[in-house]
Amino acid sequence: MSNALDTAELDAAIENVIRAGMPGLFAEVRHGDQVWRGAAGVADVATGRPVTAGLRHRVGSVTKTFTAAAVLRQAESGRVDLDAPVGRYLPELVPGERGEAITVRMLLGHTSGLAEYLPYAYPSLKGFPVVADTRPQSLDDHRFTRFHSADLIGVGVTAPAVGTPGGAPGVYSNTNYLLLGELLERVSGITAEQCITRDVIERAGLQDTGFPTGTQVDGPHARIYEAWFGMIDPPRDYSVYDMSFVGPTASLISTVADLNRFYRLLLAGQIVGPSSLEQMRRTGPVVSQEGRIIEYGLGLHPMEGPGQGAFWGHGGTVWGGGTLAMTSEDGERQMAVAVNLQRWNRLDSSGRPQPHPLDGALADLYRVALYG
């Protein structure tokens, strides 16, 4: 890892992402006391309004680290036992033998075997993970649908299991984190969003981070465009959306600066204690939503380059928006990147996503940002 930020190389890397087809991108990279903030492209393809580095953004599953940290804080206070069965806390949501077999820790690490609810709640996505068998119609049908967490959990719990509790590899499933949201509400006496705000967001001093109160992003933000593997052409703006379909799993709004601050404090042991942090970084194999095996801890996963130490953080997507935030173990080097186009890869004749210039351009940006 280089000792300093190469700002010219970072500037060039984000411009390359725009040339490869991304409408807009903004990022913050830190090394020690050095900070680089960059932005390129447009926040609105219709008006040409430029993006800026301070925009607020839907950060998707980066939310899971916040939720996991809130659960770990409840465990530190004695209100939650990570190795207790979830049926002890939520017997009506995970009844019977499964409620006894699935622990809170399994929910945090995606080893519960509970299915993903989204393809059942969004009928046109029922063919997932076979992308060619999906269609994007449900994204529009449910733009203003107000979902209830218990209903979505019921869909995931009654769907065919994708594994055995505690089995390896686990399977990434938003059902797990909706259940953790219900757990937080049950043990804290306030909503999951209020608990996460009090115990994590405010504890970290994040000024521009919070859960949505309506369908719009408050404050300056970019429009976000979904292509759904070429099936939405041109890509459609989904920046106005009811995010109740993900709640405490993926609905958080933040900035790249706030994300870097959060992960820096988390990995320094200032959000949860050292023992909790150690447990968050204890990983096992999990099948990602893209079908790849990744290492996953408790709301954290590592990213490693050749001969480099581990970076810890999370990625996230929503309809149209993407985010990746990673911090080195010692907190010295950090990267948070936000983009406003998703699922740009078109499908080939066999139904598999084709390579796209954006894939390589983003990989190059991440390499420069993390490793110099």
Coordinates of all heavy atoms in Angstrom, one line a residue, residues 304-309 371:
E304 N -9.7 -8.5 0.0 CA -8.3 -8.6 0.1 C -7.7 -8.5 -1.3 O -8.2 -9.1 -2.2 CB -7.8 -9.8 0.8 CG -8.2 -9.9 2.2 CD -7.6 -11.1 3.0 OE1 -6.4 -11.3 2.7 OE2 -8.3 -11.7 3.8
G305 N -6.6 -7.8 -1.5 CA -5.9 -7.8 -2.7 C -4.6 -8.7 -2.6 O -4.3 -9.1 -1.5
P306 N -4.0 -9.0 -3.7 CA -2.8 -9.9 -3.7 C -1.7 -9.3 -2.8 O -1.3 -8.1 -3.0 CB -2.4 -9.9 -5.1 CG -3.6 -9.5 -5.9 CD -4.4 -8.6 -5.1
G307 N -1.4 -10.0 -1.8 CA -0.3 -9.6 -0.9 C -0.7 -8.4 0.0 O 0.2 -7.8 0.7
Q308 N -2.0 -8.1 0.1 CA -2.4 -7.0 0.9 C -3.2 -7.5 2.1 O -3.7 -8.6 2.1 CB -3.3 -6.1 0.1 CG -2.7 -5.6 -1.2 CD -1.7 -4.5 -1.1 OE1 -1.5 -4.0 0.0 NE2 -1.0 -4.2 -2.1
G309 N -3.3 -6.7 3.1 CA -4.1 -7.0 4.3 C -5.6 -6.9 4.0 O -6.0 -6.3 2.9
Y371 N -5.4 0.4 -2.6 CA -4.0 0.0 -2.5 C -3.0 1.0 -3.1 O -1.9 0.8 -2.9 CB -3.9 -1.3 -3.3 CG -4.8 -2.4 -2.8 CD1 -5.8 -2.9 -3.7 CD2 -4.8 -2.9 -1.5 CE1 -6.7 -3.9 -3.3 CE2 -5.7 -3.8 -1.1 CZ -6.7 -4.3 -2.0 OH -7.6 -5.3 -1.5

